[in-house]
Amino acid sequence: MTTEPAEPAPAVPAASAAAVPPPPAAPPAAPPVVPQDGELAVPAEPFATATAAATAAEAAPRAPRRPRPVLLGACALVLGALAGGGVGYAVQAQRPPTPLPPLQVARPSYPADTVDPAALAAEQPKPLAIDGDLTKLLITAPEGSASWADFPDKPSWISIGELAEENGDAVGTFKELAANGFRRAAEVAWKKDDVRYRVTLTQYTADHADQVRSVTWPAFADGAAGGYRVDAAPRHWADTNEQYYLGEAVAKRGPLEMKVEVFGPQPVNPDTLKDLAKRQWERLV
C-alpha cells in the first residue's frame, strides 16, 4: 500500500452546485409480498414494469389520420348542392312574380229545349232483326202447298232434339249442336208438286258465333254471306229406297244460320233454289 496522502478534491463553487439539479429520487421499492401458507411468492417488479410500459404507450401521441376520399367526395356533393340551391333561390328571388290562372271555370250549359223521347229513340241504331222472334222472320208456305210429314207447315219453334232428328246421325248431331252453343231454332216446311221444301233458322249463343257454318259455294244473292249448291247424283231417304235430289243454300248472319233445303224427284232447278234463298235472306237484313 502507498503511504502518500490523498489529494483533496477541488472545491465546487456554490453557484455551480446550485445550478446542477439533484438526481431524481429512486421510486420506493415495493414492499415485499409475504406469502401465506400454501401460496408461492411472486415478485412485484414484473407487474410494475408492465404497468409503466402501458402508461407510456397511452401517453405517446398518435400519428394523424389521412383524410378518406369517400368522405371528401360526399362533403363536396353536399356543399355543391347547397351552393347550387342558394344560387337558384337568389336568381328566382330577383324575378318578378308570375300571376296564376284563375281557378273559376265556365259552368256547363245545357239546351233549353226538352228532348223528345220518341225522336231520340228513332235516332238510335236499330237492333238486328235476328234478336227478335225468329218465327216472324221465316218465309211462309206458298198457296196451294200441303204439309210434309211431321214438319210444321207454318213458322214454328223446334227443339234441339227435333232439329237433330232431321239428320241421319241424330245422336251425333245433338251432341254437336249442344257443344256449339245451341240457343234456339225455328222452322217451316211444305210440299208442292212432289217437291219438298224446308227452311230452318238456327241461332247459337254470342260466344259461339264462330261455330256457324261458313261455305264457299257460289253466292245466291249480292251481299249474302253464304252460297248454294245442287246435287247431280241422287240420294236415298233413310227409311225407304226412294231416291231424291238435294239442293241446299246456307247463309250466316251473326250467330244465326239460315238453311234452305229443296228435295225433288228430279235435279233441283238452281234458279228456284236461289230465289227462295234470296227471299229468306232479305228478311234477315
Side-chain angles (χ1 to χ4, degrees):
M1 296 178 59
T2 177
T3 57
E4 294 180 2
E7 294 181 2
V12 180
S16 299
V20 177
V33 179
V34 180
Q36 302 293 333
D37 296 339
E39 294 183 358
L40 298 177
V42 180
E45 183 179 357
F47 295 98
T49 306
T51 303
T55 304
E58 293 180 359
R62 296 182 180 179
R65 294 183 179 181
R66 300 179 61 184
R68 298 181 180 179
V70 177
L71 182 60
L72 292 178
C75 295
L77 290 177
V78 173
L79 294 177
L82 294 177
V87 172
Y89 178 80
V91 173
Q92 187 66 22
Q94 296 178 359
R95 295 178 179 178
T98 302
L100 298 176
L103 298 179
Q104 185 177 2
V105 297
R107 296 182 178 180
S109 59
Y110 301 95
D113 299 337
T114 304
V115 178
D116 185 6
L120 181 61
E123 294 177 358
Q124 302 302 319
K126 296 182 180 180
L128 297 177
I130 60 176
D131 294 336
D133 190 350
L134 296 182
T135 60
K136 296 181 180 180
L137 299 179
L138 285 169
I139 59 177
T140 57
E143 295 181 1
S145 61
S147 61
W148 172 28
D150 296 335
F151 299 105
D153 56 350
K154 294 181 180 180
S156 306
W157 296 103
I158 61 173
S159 65
I160 183 174
E162 294 171 336
L163 186 61
E165 289 179 354
E166 297 178 357
N167 298 272
D169 184 12
V171 176
T173 304
F174 183 91
K175 293 181 179 179
E176 182 180 0
L177 290 172
N180 291 343
F182 173 85
R183 179 184 174 189
R184 56 181 182 169
E187 189 175 74
V188 62
W190 66 90
K191 179 181 178 181
K192 186 176 182 180
D193 299 334
D194 294 334
V195 179
R196 299 172 174 86
Y197 303 87
R198 184 169 63 193
V199 182
T200 308
L201 299 179
T202 306
Q203 190 170 21
Y204 300 87
T205 55
D207 56 340
H208 287 78
D210 56 344
Q211 300 293 340
V212 181
R213 182 175 57 162
S214 299
V215 297
T216 57
W217 304 336
F220 57 81
D222 295 338
Y228 77 98
R229 68 179 182 88
V230 293
D231 287 347
R235 304 187 183 190
H236 293 84
W237 296 106
D239 298 336
T240 65
N241 292 328
E242 183 183 358
Q243 295 182 352
Y244 70 92
Y245 290 85
L246 174 64
E248 183 181 10
V250 178
K252 176 181 178 180
R253 176 69 169 167
L256 182 70
E257 180 188 51
M258 179 199 84
K259 182 167 65 174
V260 178
E261 298 170 291
V262 180
F263 308 86
Q266 302 295 330
V268 177
N269 187 350
D271 295 335
T272 303
L273 176 61
K274 289 191 296 182
D275 178 70
L276 185 61
K278 181 180 179 181
R279 288 191 290 115
Q280 178 58 67
W281 172 257
E282 290 175 350
R283 298 175 68 91
L284 303 179
V285 296

